[in-house]
Amino acid sequence: MKLTSRQIFLLSLISILFLLSVAQFLKGDLDDGIGVRNLEAPYHVLLTVEALKNSPIENHYLLPSVSLGLTEDKFISWGATVPTETGDYVYTSFNSPGFILPYLWFEITGLDVNIQNLAYLNSILGVLVVLILLAMMFEVLTRFLNYSHARAGLVTTIALIPAIFSHEVLVSHGLVFWVHSFYQFIFVATLYAMLRWFKADTNNGKKSWALILIVLLFLGPYTEWTGFIFNIGLFFVLMALSFVRSSLIPNPKRLALLVAFLTTVAGCLMVAHYAIAVGFWPAIEAFQSRFFARSTTRGSFPGLFIGYLQSYGYFLLIFCASLFYLATNYFRQQTADSRQQTADKLF
């Protein structure tokens, strides 16, 4: 029986929603007093939500504040923060959108500000990320590689298993909410919007997806530093495509210039936002300090490798085994083709 695309989507959606039931096991970690690594991150976010709720906007300018609303809460330094004129200390390692999202979540839903309700928001972001990946992979397989809907659905579902059940996802889209949780959604949404913009069949469709793409290309760097790395990399890829005259992307140079413009605007607005709140030079000094504190000189490549092992575990083993199998088959086929060509020439 051949499944329709709608049936495949529903089956995939059911498996994805299973993430929500699995995530309930994470609630037991809280009830039993069991923590996970980086659990301080969501508590930092909750502190910022409370600070934004307890003080007027003119005190913190909607920046990630860590100062609560009472008079005795002001002018108390905390980590890598700088004060506004009212003594509200604001965090400078990450910009405000990653903190404004949970603030709006609690304001709109009226839920109590606690880690469990923050984990619900985080799980929703995880489901949205997987849904976007599902739609993007399904379209690539069916439209570009001519897979049948049934085959594309099967391949997509198998490929997305690590994005649902790996340790990394169950933590970073479970108990541990941080700015990266939000940026991951922006990142995959940007890739999907770019795909839909390239392949839109109508002018209205192209305009709609172009507008969405513009918003995401701005929001990425404005939310998280990785957004600058992604946009810069995208700029150079597009410029390279403009020189080789590739038909893969229409007007790659114009898109590259747009990416450069949006990235510059995001950076300037971020600096201006902090400069209004704490002053220009204090903001620049804080950014400079956090840049060197979080640079590659402070990291460890062996630690990064161990982190991937902890995050994905047996999924990495399966990936390596699959890659070895595909490479072996490829070279075996190449050898067989070469021998056949030699035989054809001889006879």
Side-chain angles (χ1 to χ4, degrees), residues 29-311:
D29 292 346
L30 289 176
D31 295 339
D32 299 335
I34 301 171
V36 295
R37 183 170 292 183
N38 293 324
L39 190 58
E40 67 274 11
Y43 285 107
H44 181 175
V45 174
L46 294 175
L47 171 62
T48 297
V49 171
E50 290 285 7
L52 294 177
K53 289 167 67 74
N54 293 340
S55 296
I57 292 178
E58 58 267 23
N59 284 17
H60 48 67
Y61 297 86
L62 289 178
L63 290 170
S65 174
V66 295
S67 301
L68 298 177
L70 299 177
T71 303
E72 55 266 32
D73 296 323
K74 309 303 181 182
F75 296 102
I76 301 174
S77 62
W78 188 90
T81 58
V82 289
T84 66
E85 291 184 357
T86 57
D88 290 75
Y89 278 77
V90 294
Y91 194 56
T92 56
S93 292
F94 294 93
N95 200 18
S96 58
F99 300 90
I100 294 298
L101 177 66
Y103 167 72
L104 293 176
W105 164 257
F106 286 110
E107 286 289 292
I108 293 171
T109 62
L111 295 171
D112 293 335
V113 180
N114 58 47
I115 195 169
Q116 178 181 332
N117 291 331
L118 183 61
Y120 290 148
L121 169 63
N122 209 7
S123 295
I124 291 172
L125 285 174
V127 171
L128 290 175
V129 166
V130 177
L131 284 174
I132 295 172
L133 287 172
L134 168 68
M136 183 166 59
M137 291 182 63
F138 190 83
E139 185 159 345
V140 168
L141 291 174
T142 55
R143 296 189 61 176
F144 295 94
L145 301 180
N146 297 318
Y147 276 44
S148 67
H149 285 182
R151 186 183 180 192
L154 177 61
V155 170
T156 300
T157 302
I158 294 174
L160 289 179
I161 288 176
I164 301 173
F165 297 111
S166 67
H167 181 267
E168 172 68 25
V169 172
L170 290 174
V171 172
S172 61
H173 280 296
L175 292 180
V176 180
F177 176 89
W178 191 238
V179 180
H180 306 87
S181 304
F182 182 37
Y183 177 72
Q184 188 174 36
F185 165 75
I186 297 173
F187 173 65
V188 296
T190 301
L191 296 178
Y192 183 64
M194 193 174 299
L195 174 66
R196 295 302 302 268
W197 177 65
F198 292 156
K199 295 302 177 182
D201 298 325
T202 64
N203 287 333
N204 288 336
K206 275 195 173 296
K207 290 179 180 178
S208 298
W209 284 107
L211 179 60
I212 295 172
L213 183 59
I214 287 172
V215 172
L216 292 170
L217 286 171
F218 164 80
L219 190 59
Y222 193 67
T223 298
E224 211 276 318
W225 295 103
T226 310
F228 285 101
I229 305 300
F230 172 76
N231 281 18
I232 291 171
L234 180 61
F235 169 80
F236 283 112
V237 169
L238 292 170
M239 289 300 294
L241 289 175
S242 69
F243 286 112
V244 300
R245 297 180 180 180
S246 171
S247 60
L248 180 63
I249 300 175
N251 299 316
K253 186 174 183 180
R254 185 171 66 178
L255 181 57
L257 295 176
L258 176 62
V259 171
F261 172 75
L262 293 171
T263 307
T264 302
V265 170
C268 290
L269 284 180
M270 184 173 66
V271 172
H273 193 177
Y274 275 91
I276 292 171
V278 304
F280 180 76
W281 289 115
I284 294 298
E285 290 173 0
F287 288 146
Q288 182 180 2
S289 172
R290 301 321 299 157
F291 174 80
F292 287 108
R294 296 179 179 276
S295 67
T296 55
T297 59
R298 300 298 181 108
S300 165
F301 283 104
L304 179 64
F305 177 74
I306 293 172
Y308 274 109
L309 290 179
Q310 292 175 338
S311 296

